[in-house]
């Protein structure tokens, strides 16, 4: 076989369709994700939706049918931008959208385990509904509030995925112990100094007894979750039938 025909092992990559490609990599270019990007652990391609505009003015949006404020991204321009991007059929195609399914750590883990998504960033009042159906876009929300564009939301999603890629977090394994990994918030963390403004580190954590430390952390995580996130706690108790250490 010709060496040139050998298929490169593809690295996890995100393709972002945006009107503001200059926003990328932005914060993804520093710290853990930035080092991993520079070393080729993952790749990022930000593509300008405007490159797919066809008219003289390179317009990408138009007024909403039925009236109302703002502008809507055109279905034809967006579809052309999606079609022009590398999109292997197995790549998830996401649209950042406040109407989407709220992003969760388990969806992040799925996306991190795949080839990496193509992500469409909306602007203005959003995108023409027909392109969502025509290109089978999965709408993803990062929370119940409205941003001015999908770019920061896309960065949130990419950041959450990249830190789970093998090798990115180094010794910190794969975040198995973290908030949401067991449907629980993370236990409190402490480090030196032993005493800070009269507050000390809980005795057990400096005892060197690993079993006791683990039990303390589990109980603390459960207690925090019950108080702060009764929604997570309810899912956990019904799904697992878990008899927790803090149930009375
Ligand atoms: N009129 C729309 C909001 C448009 S905000 C509505 O009421 O639903 C402009 C763009 O910002 C959206 O198209 C989307 O891409 C992005 N965006 C805003 N809030 C978001 C959120 N919570 N999660 C993900 N993307 C969001």
């Amino acid at each position: 076989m010709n060496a040139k025909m050998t298929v490169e092992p593809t690295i996890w990559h995100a393709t972002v369709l945006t009107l503001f490609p200059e926003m990328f990599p932005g914060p993804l270019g520093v710290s853990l994700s930035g080092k991993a990007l520079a070393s080729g652990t993952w790749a990022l391609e930000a593509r300008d939706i405007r490159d797919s505009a066809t008219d003289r003015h390179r317009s990408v949006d138009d007024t909403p049918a039925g009236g109302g404020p703002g502008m809507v991204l055109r279905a034809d321009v967006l579809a052309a931008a999606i079609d022009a991007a590398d999109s292997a059929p197995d790549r998830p195609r996401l649209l950042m959208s406040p109407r989407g399914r709220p992003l969760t750590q388990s969806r992040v883990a799925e996306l991190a385990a795949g080839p990496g998504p193509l992500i469409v960033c909306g602007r203005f009042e959003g995108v023409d509904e027909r392109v969502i159906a025509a290109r089978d876009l999965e709408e993803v929300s990062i929370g119940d509030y409205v941003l001015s564009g999908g770019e920061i939301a896309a960065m949130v999603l990419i950041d959450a995925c990249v830190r789970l890629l093998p090798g990115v977090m180094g010794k910190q394994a794969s975040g198995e112990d973290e908030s949401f990994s067991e449907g629980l918030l993370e236990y409190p963390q402490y480090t030196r100094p032993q005493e800070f403004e009269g507050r000390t580190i809980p005795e057990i954590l400096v005892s060197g007894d690993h079993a006791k430390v683990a039990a303390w952390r589990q109980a603390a995580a459960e207690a925090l979750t019950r108080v702060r996130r009764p929604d997570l706690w309810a899912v956990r108790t019904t799904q697992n039938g878990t008899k927790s250490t803090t149930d009375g």
Side-chain angles (χ1 to χ4, degrees):
M1 196 207 250
N2 184 325
K4 277 184 187 152
M5 287 174 66
T6 311
V7 178
E8 291 281 329
T10 40
I11 55 170
W12 192 93
H13 64 297
T15 303
V16 180
L17 303 186
T18 168
L19 289 173
F20 302 98
E22 67 275 21
M23 287 176 76
F24 293 86
L28 299 170
V30 302
S31 192
L32 287 180
S33 57
K35 278 182 204 140
L37 184 60
S39 68
T41 304
W42 68 288
L44 175 65
E45 185 191 13
R47 297 174 66 95
D48 195 342
I49 293 169
R50 202 171 290 280
D51 290 345
S52 298
T54 50
D55 67 358
R56 210 157 52 85
H57 304 289
R58 301 185 77 210
S59 55
V60 293
D61 56 347
D62 210 329
T63 54
M71 300 294 272
V72 175
L73 280 171
R74 287 168 53 142
D76 54 349
V77 175
L78 212 42
I82 293 167
D83 296 345
D86 148 337
S87 57
D90 62 328
R91 290 186 76 193
R93 288 187 193 162
L94 315 179
L95 168 66
M96 302 319 296
S97 161
R99 302 188 322 186
R101 192 144 59 100
L103 188 62
T104 60
Q105 188 63 18
S106 62
R107 183 69 183 120
V108 165
E110 279 171 18
L111 290 168
L118 178 141
I119 308 173
V120 178
C121 300
R123 275 273 156 182
F124 321 123
E125 289 309 311
V127 310
D128 186 307
E129 188 72 21
R130 293 168 296 177
V131 74
I132 301 174
R135 291 298 177 275
D136 199 18
L137 302 179
E138 172 189 339
E139 292 183 74
V140 178
S141 168
I142 64 159
D144 291 345
Y145 39 81
V146 181
L147 305 169
S148 52
E151 289 78 9
I152 293 174
M155 288 176 194
V156 166
L157 183 146
I158 294 168
D159 180 87
C161 289
V162 165
R163 62 194 292 284
L164 296 184
L165 299 177
V168 173
M169 286 210 298
K171 272 201 294 185
Q172 284 157 274
S174 58
E176 275 160 20
D177 222 22
E178 291 185 312
S179 288
F180 312 115
S181 57
E182 300 275 338
L184 290 175
L185 303 179
E186 197 185 59
Y187 48 80
Q189 300 273 16
Y190 301 87
T191 187
R192 280 180 283 271
Q194 160 64 19
E195 190 182 325
F196 163 69
E197 295 183 353
R199 296 161 196 265
T200 54
I201 297 175
E203 269 316 309
I204 285 173
L205 298 182
V206 290
S207 69
D209 184 331
H210 297 304
K212 277 193 180 154
V213 168
W216 183 91
R217 286 178 166 169
Q218 178 70 19
E222 291 181 1
L224 261 181
T225 309
R226 282 180 75 169
V227 171
R228 292 194 186 171
R229 294 293 302 275
D231 56 323
L232 288 180
W233 186 252
V235 170
R236 181 179 158 84
T237 42
T238 49
Q239 271 185 358
N240 308 354
T242 312
K243 178 79 185 120
S244 81
T245 53
T246 50
D247 271 338

